[in-house]
Amino acid sequence: MTGVAALVSKVVENHHEDKDMLIQVLLDLQCGLGWLPQEALAEVSRQLRVPVTRVYQVASYYKAFSFAPKGRHNVTVCLGTACQVRGAPRLLDRTADLLKLAPGETSPDLRFSLNTVNCLGCCALGPVIVVDGKYHSNPSTTELQRVLGAAE
Ligand code: FES
């Protein structure tokens, strides 16, 4: 049994092989693996006895799930209206340049993933960037380099 299949077995067992727990099983796997590889989805289908199309349908519906590996550091730039007005596009451009990534991409060394979001609920701080859960309000390029450089 591969490492992925063994993890799926453990997670499915933790949820008493209950097919109604499909979302929770997928969340646990996303948490454990950092993404949902095809092998994991096929194993979930087999072990929970749920059609693989249903597993994919659920996994693609929720933004929490990823079908590609994510970076160790999650970088999110808010592109909501308030942040847009306050310069979010420039902040995104500077961030993308520093990381050499486009939004939605992960670096080949899996160090960073760059994403955008439509509002983080702190519009007065805009433009806002979040690095590993820590909010930064309108950072200068130097500050941005420091924050990103510190993320090993
Ligand atoms: S629009 Fe960016 S935090 Fe609300």
Side-chain angles (χ1 to χ4, degrees), residues 66-146:
S66 170
F67 295 128
K70 290 286 183 190
R72 296 187 300 283
H73 303 286
N74 192 27
V75 179
T76 304
V77 176
C78 179
L79 289 183
T81 308
C83 284
Q84 289 257 2
V85 170
R86 293 163 178 250
R90 283 190 307 281
L91 176 58
L92 178 60
D93 285 348
R94 285 189 288 137
T95 307
D97 283 351
L98 285 171
L99 296 179
K100 296 180 177 47
L101 293 175
E105 286 185 348
T106 294
S107 56
D109 62 359
L110 300 182
R111 185 174 173 202
F112 291 107
S113 287
L114 176 60
N115 295 294
T116 60
V117 72
N118 284 328
C119 184
L120 292 159
C122 54
C123 309
L125 298 177
V128 180
I129 182 170
V130 185
V131 180
D132 294 334
K134 190 162 181 221
Y135 288 52
H136 302 273
S137 171
N138 194 20
S140 66
T141 300
T142 308
E143 206 176 331
L144 204 50
Q145 283 171 323
R146 185 187 55 73

Side-chain angles (χ1 to χ4, degrees), residues 1-8 39 43:
M1 189 181 275
T2 67
V4 169
L7 180 63
V8 172
E39 181 188 354
E43 273 301 318

Side-chain angles (χ1 to χ4, degrees), residues 55-72:
V55 176
Y56 272 97
Q57 194 180 34
V58 169
S60 13
Y61 182 79
Y62 296 99
K63 215 178 168 184
F65 300 122
S66 170
F67 295 128
K70 290 286 183 190
R72 296 187 300 283

